Amino acid sequence: MRGADKRKNHRYPSIARVRIPDVFSGEAFLKDLSITGCRIECTMHVDVQEKAACRIVVYPEESAGIGSFDLSAECRWLRPESYSWDIGFDIKESPKGKDFQKYVDYLSWRQST
């Protein structure tokens, strides 16, 4: 059974930009998001260990009408793809929980239209 099949919460596709200041200095892309986890795509190799705590800064797309917000997350896996690296995270908390929830709601609405 694949990891996606075991998830309790649906993941929504995203096109937000993210920064993970403790891991690398550039930007990456938020590929999908739920209230409990996310997947990020980086175009460079990143050196992060499984179970490492990370701060993720999310910059939603302008059409969402939501400002940036932080997530406290834990790295669950790191996987090389053809031209990039995917990183899976469990979300532990969001200090600006309302903006995080608004963004998940926006992604849910966008996918349903």
Side-chain angles (χ1 to χ4, degrees):
M1 182 181 272
R2 296 178 61 196
D5 299 329
K6 294 187 272 185
R7 289 191 180 118
K8 293 179 183 177
N9 300 96
H10 182 75
R11 292 271 182 108
Y12 300 104
S14 171
I15 56 172
R17 296 175 298 119
V18 296
R19 288 188 181 270
I20 311 173
D22 299 331
V23 177
F24 60 94
S25 61
E27 286 188 346
F29 292 98
L30 182 64
K31 290 180 80 170
D32 60 44
L33 177 71
S34 76
I35 60 170
T36 58
C38 66
R39 179 172 44 142
I40 293 174
E41 178 183 278
C42 303
T43 56
M44 64 189 103
H45 173 72
V46 291
D47 187 23
V48 61
Q49 301 297 315
E50 286 185 28
K51 300 195 183 236
C54 297
R55 179 177 148 249
I56 301 171
V57 184
V58 179
Y59 301 94
E61 57 272 26
E62 192 172 318
S63 61
I66 300 165
S68 65
F69 56 89
D70 290 3
L71 298 172
S72 296
E74 181 179 284
C75 178
R76 301 303 293 160
W77 52 264
L78 182 68
R79 181 179 347 173
E81 296 293 330
S82 59
Y83 68 94
S84 62
W85 288 82
D86 279 358
I87 310 170
F89 290 94
D90 281 341
I91 296 171
K92 300 301 181 187
E93 67 175 327
S94 176
K96 289 185 180 180
K98 288 182 183 180
D99 288 339
F100 170 49
Q101 185 62 54
K102 284 181 191 177
Y103 189 55
V104 172
D105 291 345
Y106 167 78
L107 294 175
S108 173
W109 169 82
R110 187 178 71 193
Q111 187 176 33
S112 69
T113 58

